[in-house]
Amino acid sequence: MIKTLSTYKELCSVVADIVEHTLTLPKPKLVLPTGSTPISLYKELVNRDLDWSTTTTFNLDEYVINPNHPQSYNSFMKKHLFDRVNIYPDNYHFPFRPTEAYEDKIKEIDLCILGIGTNGHIAFNEPGSTIDSRTRVVDLSEQTIRDNSRFFPTIDDVPKQAITMGLGTIMESKKIVLMANGEHKLNILNVAMNGEVTEDVPASILQNHKNVKVYYSD
Ligand code: GLP
């Protein structure tokens, strides 16, 4: 289930090919991740100079934070992608508030791209998240706060809560691609893809999806 690529560059190029193909569909709908893993994917997509004018996107998650904070996922996405391609600002969405109206818009997703946390989380669905969960406010685990502290001046500056798309919502996507980079992800990736499907390892639920691809580079 896990396809290993020889370099991070190749990982990003393979996923960029999948995004490029998706953007040729009529009115494509994408779900997009943040984190360090997709940074070169977004760079590659910007370099390809694709047409984003009919595309709608939903980000997987956002901290409970001022949307204009430099470490908000809103700021991240603008910096790495949205301000650099021809997507309409009305067409990209963040879960700033977990409303039913927001959840209702996340339908008929053509492609959902995911990363994976070192504790097996996808988006901010921490261990224990239920398989039918929807967009909601969550408390971040200590491990996630530690892992993400590298982006903040001190660990105390890391938000303790986030809003995340749920596992149930993610699983309704027509196609899912999970990207993982670095040897520190290999163990959890193996547990998630080859072990038991359990809410203790949220990414393991992907084993139940009929169209999922998992790419890894070390
Ligand atoms: C964050 C995000 C996840 C992401 C994960 C891995 O916690 N909420 O969506 O997959 O980090 O990030 P990285 O790519 O930096 O390892």
Side-chain angles (χ1 to χ4, degrees):
M1 193 170 185
I2 304 171
K3 183 153 174 42
T4 302
L5 298 162
S6 47
T7 60
Y8 173 56
K9 194 172 173 2
E10 200 190 339
L11 168 73
C12 293
S13 167
V14 165
V15 179
D17 288 348
I18 298 170
V19 176
E20 180 168 352
H21 170 75
T22 307
L23 293 194
T24 64
L25 300 174
K27 299 196 176 173
K29 286 174 110 175
L30 306 183
V31 166
L32 297 175
T34 49
S36 25
T37 311
I39 289 179
S40 289
L41 165 67
Y42 294 144
K43 199 168 172 196
E44 172 71 19
L45 290 170
V46 168
N47 288 342
R48 290 189 189 193
D49 200 18
L50 306 171
D51 180 13
W52 290 76
S53 61
T54 60
T55 300
T56 299
T57 69
F58 298 89
N59 264 78
L60 283 165
D61 45 16
E62 177 58 286
Y63 292 117
V64 173
I65 200 173
N66 181 327
N68 297 321
H69 187 287
Q71 291 306 331
S72 75
Y73 288 165
N74 173 59
S75 301
F76 173 101
M77 289 305 296
K78 284 186 172 170
K79 175 175 168 199
H80 292 287
L81 187 69
F82 296 150
D83 285 351
R84 305 172 71 194
V85 296
N86 68 337
I87 191 166
Y88 288 103
D90 283 352
N91 288 349
Y92 55 78
H93 304 89
F94 289 85
F96 295 129
R97 274 174 299 124
T99 62
E100 266 177 45
Y102 182 79
E103 180 73 28
D104 281 349
K105 285 193 206 166
I106 317 169
K107 292 272 177 331
E108 302 286 306
I109 297 297
D110 296 297
L111 174 64
C112 170
I113 303 173
L114 300 172
I116 184 169
T118 56
N119 61 358
H121 74 215
I122 48 178
F124 271 133
N125 291 285
E126 298 283 31
S129 299
T130 58
I131 55 174
D132 56 358
S133 50
R134 297 278 155 187
T135 305
R136 69 204 186 283
V137 178
V138 292
D139 293 329
L140 299 181
S141 72
E142 277 180 30
Q143 189 172 340
T144 298
I145 291 172
R146 239 185 351 262
D147 285 352
N148 290 4
S149 64
R150 67 190 194 280
F151 298 113
F152 292 85
T154 74
I155 194 159
D156 294 333
D157 297 308
V158 184
K160 308 289 178 285
Q161 287 191 312
I163 302 161
T164 186
M165 199 176 279
L167 294 176
T169 317
I170 289 170
M171 287 293 280
E172 284 167 13
S173 308
K174 293 178 201 165
K175 183 183 177 91
I176 298 178
V177 170
L178 187 146
M179 310 172 69
N181 174 238
E183 281 180 56
H184 64 299
K185 294 284 178 74
L186 194 51
N187 183 44
I188 192 64
L189 202 56
N190 273 320
V191 170
M193 297 307 145
N194 302 319
E196 185 196 344
V197 175
T198 163
E199 290 173 350
D200 295 340
V201 182
S204 67
I205 195 184
L206 298 175
Q207 292 183 43
N208 292 341
H209 194 279
K210 58 183 185 330
N211 190 357
V212 56
K213 295 214 159 40
V214 180
Y215 296 107
Y216 168 76
S217 62
D218 56 18

